[in-house]
Amino acid sequence: MGSNASAWVVLGVALVLANLPFLNERLLAVLPWRTEVKPLAVRLGELVLCYLLAGMVGRLFEGKQGMVAAQGWEFYAVTAAFFLVLAFPGFIWRYLLKRKGH
C-alpha cells in the first residue's frame, strides 16, 4: 500500500475510533455496561484509549514504509487536538441533538 493510501486508511480508522465512544452504550464497543447510560467520564476514557489505538495503527503503517520519525510533545498535542475534532460529530449526536423519547 502506498503512503497516500495508508494515510487515508489511518484517517478513516481515526474517524471511526473517535466517534465510537459516543455511538454505543457498551464499554469499548464490546463489553456490556452495567447501567442504561454510560457516564461522560467513561466515554472520555474510551476516547483516550481509542486515540492510543489510532496512534498505534499509524505507527504500524509508518514502520512498514521505512524509518519511524521521532516525535516530540508537539506532535502528540496536535494529533490529540485533531482526534478531538474528529470526535465532534459523535459528541454532537450524543449530547446536543434533541431526540424523541430522551
Side-chain angles (χ1 to χ4, degrees):
M1 184 180 313
S3 63
N4 196 17
S6 63
W8 283 107
V9 168
V10 170
L11 284 174
V13 167
L15 179 64
V16 169
L17 287 175
N19 288 289
L20 191 63
F22 301 107
L23 299 179
N24 66 71
E25 295 299 332
R26 297 174 85 65
L27 188 61
L28 299 173
V30 177
L31 304 171
W33 187 248
R34 62 183 175 266
T35 60
E36 187 176 325
V37 178
K38 283 190 299 190
L40 179 60
V42 173
R43 292 184 198 278
L44 294 177
E46 286 180 322
L47 192 65
V48 170
L49 290 175
C50 288
Y51 168 71
L52 295 173
L53 183 61
M56 287 190 296
V57 169
R59 168 67 173 81
L60 177 72
F61 278 117
E62 187 179 12
K64 289 196 177 283
Q65 291 182 1
M67 293 279 297
V68 176
Q71 305 296 341
W73 69 269
E74 297 93 345
F75 171 80
Y76 297 105
V78 169
T79 56
F82 181 65
F83 198 75
L84 288 175
V85 169
L86 290 177
F88 191 65
F91 180 84
I92 293 294
W93 182 81
R94 171 63 57 191
Y95 292 108
L96 299 179
L97 286 181
K98 301 278 186 198
R99 293 186 296 248
K100 291 183 180 180
H102 289 138

